[in-house]
Amino acid sequence: MSSNIAHLIKVASNEISRSVNDFASDYDLTGTQVQIIDYLTGLPYDEDVFQKDIEAEFNIRRSTATNILKIMEKKELIKREAVESDSRLKKITVLHKAKKLQKNIDEFMKENDQKILSSLGAFERRGFLHALQKLPEKLQSIEQSEVKKQ
Amino acid sequence: MSSNIAHLIKVASNEISRSVNDFASDYDLTGTQVQIIDYLTGLPYDEDVFQKDIEAEFNIRRSTATNILKIMEKKELIKREAVESDSRLKKITVLHKAKKLQKNIDEFMKENDQKILSSLGAFERRGFLHALQKLPEKLQSIEQSEVKKQ
């Protein structure tokens, strides 16, 4: 194999997703649904959130977000509402059923982070966290400048 | 959102997978199929490789690997053969159609790695690579010791 980063990050991400999925399956949810509930319930109480915010936060395409959120709506975890001024904007509201899960999700996520961080040395930990925070934005800006060049 | 690592790694992995998928779609392949071809064509010429090696290398379940490899067999990229001494062992052979792609895949993967690494500082780069190499094994050993405790 010539190179490794795309491969390494996928393997690490699979491993971490697996533990989130295992936790989620206890509540008949997928890992992504749990991560979206975690995101939504962590927002300030009075902050409006729209589907496009979830697309940006999770770096997923609109069609992917629509599919996931429609399923979450069917499960009565969230409500999607068209905004009067712009029907393309879908406002997302967290419902009681999802709010009830917040504490357990929060505890699991903290433990999970701890497990990941404790398996790394201090130096790796810092480099890893910095790189993860920086990468998506950096890569997107490279792609955009490549598209412009074409 | 209480925590971030599971989320951050997923977002970074999505971004990287997207560029691999875009490349792969030019050849009517998925990103994972390209990564498996990259792995197989990079092995020493005389090394036997079995489905279980791919499961371990990509950290995927047997059923997932079976599905992917069956599709790759249909596309005439690989051949799967039961081993006489143990029919559960499936030996994988790379076929000409996949070998022809090796050079282009290799070039793309090198460029892609370069793009990722060049967006990080030297310090982040080292910590990130070390962490990625170490994490899956570390997390698996934590999980196994948790299972034993139960």
Side-chain angles (χ1 to χ4, degrees), chain A residues 5-15, chain B residues 13 17 31-32 35 58:
Chain A
I5 304 172
H7 179 69
L8 287 173
I9 198 162
K10 196 169 188 176
V11 169
S13 177
N14 280 353
E15 188 62 36
Chain B
S13 177
S17 290
T32 306
Q35 287 181 296
F58 288 82

Side-chain angles (χ1 to χ4, degrees), chain B residues 7-69:
Chain B
H7 179 70
L8 286 173
I9 197 162
K10 197 169 187 176
V11 169
S13 177
N14 280 352
E15 187 62 36
I16 293 171
S17 290
R18 195 167 293 163
S19 72
V20 180
N21 289 339
D22 283 349
F23 165 81
S25 71
D26 292 345
Y27 301 91
D28 200 20
L29 299 173
T30 67
T32 306
Q33 290 167 357
V34 159
Q35 287 181 296
I36 291 177
I37 296 172
D38 185 38
Y39 165 66
L40 293 171
T41 54
L43 292 173
Y45 179 68
D46 54 356
E47 193 172 311
D48 278 350
V49 58
F50 301 95
Q51 174 168 335
K52 66 177 175 48
D53 300 317
I54 293 172
E55 291 162 17
E57 181 69 29
F58 288 82
N59 191 17
I60 50 178
R61 296 214 165 107
R62 185 191 281 191
S63 56
T64 311
T66 303
N67 287 339
I68 298 171
L69 294 172

Side-chain angles (χ1 to χ4, degrees), chain A residues 56-70:
Chain A
E57 182 68 29
F58 288 82
N59 190 16
I60 50 179
R61 296 213 165 108
R62 183 191 281 191
S63 55
T64 311
T66 302
N67 286 339
I68 298 170
L69 294 172
K70 274 190 178 163

Side-chain angles (χ1 to χ4, degrees), chain A residues 18-79:
Chain A
R18 195 167 293 163
S19 71
V20 180
N21 290 340
D22 283 349
F23 165 81
S25 71
D26 291 345
Y27 300 92
D28 200 20
L29 298 173
T30 67
T32 306
Q33 290 167 358
V34 159
Q35 286 181 296
I36 291 176
I37 294 173
D38 185 38
Y39 165 66
L40 292 171
T41 54
L43 292 173
Y45 180 69
D46 55 354
E47 192 172 312
D48 279 351
V49 57
F50 301 96
Q51 174 167 336
K52 66 176 177 45
D53 299 318
I54 294 172
E55 292 163 16
E57 182 68 29
F58 288 82
N59 190 16
I60 50 179
R61 296 213 165 108
R62 183 191 281 191
S63 55
T64 311
T66 302
N67 286 339
I68 298 170
L69 294 172
K70 274 190 178 163
I71 293 171
M72 291 180 74
E73 194 169 29
K74 251 192 203 157
K75 291 189 166 193
E76 297 176 350
L77 296 161
I78 59 156
K79 206 168 64 183

